[in-house]
Amino acid sequence: MLNEQERLEIYDKATRLWGLVAQYDQCVEEMGELIVAINKYKRKVLYKEYKGDNKIVENLVEEIADVSICLEQMRHFFKDYKIDEVIEKKMQKFLGQINEMEKEQK
Ligand SMILES: [Mg+2]
C-alpha cells in the first residue's frame, strides 16, 4: 500500500507530466461523476429504478475513491493554506447546529 509521501510524489509527477490545469480539469470531471453516481444510487434506493443494475453501489464507491484522491491532490496543491483549521471551524459550527437541533427536539 502506498504511503502518504508516495501518493504526494505521484501528484507532483502527474503535475509535471500533464500540468496543473489538467489536474484541476480531472478533479472537476471526477466530481461530476460522483454527482451522477450519487443521483443514480438515490434513484435506485428511493425510487426503485435501475432494478437490473448491480453496479450502482460499485460505481458509487469508485467515484468516492476518485474524488478522495482528487481532494488529497487539491489539499497538496493548496498546502500553504490552513485547510485543517478551516475544517475544524466548520465542524465546530456543524456540531453547534446539531446540538441546537437536539435541544429543540427534547
Ligand atoms: Mg471517476
Side-chain angles (χ1 to χ4, degrees):
M1 200 171 195
L2 296 168
N3 64 36
E4 187 188 0
Q5 191 53 44
E6 290 166 326
R7 291 194 307 274
L8 299 184
E9 284 167 18
I10 290 170
Y11 303 141
D12 288 335
K13 276 185 189 172
T15 304
R16 282 197 297 276
L17 274 172
W18 294 296
L20 203 50
V21 172
Q23 298 313 108
Y24 294 150
D25 287 345
Q26 188 65 42
C27 287
V28 170
E29 192 175 310
E30 295 301 350
M31 287 174 201
E33 288 173 1
L34 178 58
I35 290 169
V36 173
I38 292 169
N39 266 338
K40 281 188 174 176
Y41 177 75
K42 207 172 75 181
R43 285 169 63 178
K44 185 178 177 71
V45 172
L46 297 179
Y47 310 120
K48 312 297 175 202
E49 295 176 29
Y50 300 108
K51 275 202 168 90
D53 194 340
N54 299 318
K55 301 270 186 194
I56 298 286
V57 175
E58 198 179 303
N59 182 246
L60 177 60
V61 171
E62 287 279 329
E63 299 310 336
I64 291 169
D66 284 341
V67 169
S68 297
I69 291 167
C70 285
L71 286 179
E72 185 178 55
Q73 191 175 25
M74 293 293 287
R75 288 179 65 118
H76 180 51
F77 294 153
F78 290 88
K79 60 179 172 283
D80 294 342
Y81 296 86
K82 295 180 168 98
I83 294 173
D84 285 330
E85 283 179 22
V86 177
I87 290 172
E88 179 62 25
K89 221 160 101 185
K90 287 180 179 282
M91 288 305 295
Q92 290 298 338
K93 188 179 170 191
F94 190 28
L95 179 62
Q97 290 169 333
I98 288 169
N99 288 340
E100 277 303 309
M101 191 61 97
E102 280 179 338
K103 246 189 266 168
E104 282 173 28
Q105 286 175 347
K106 279 179 190 167

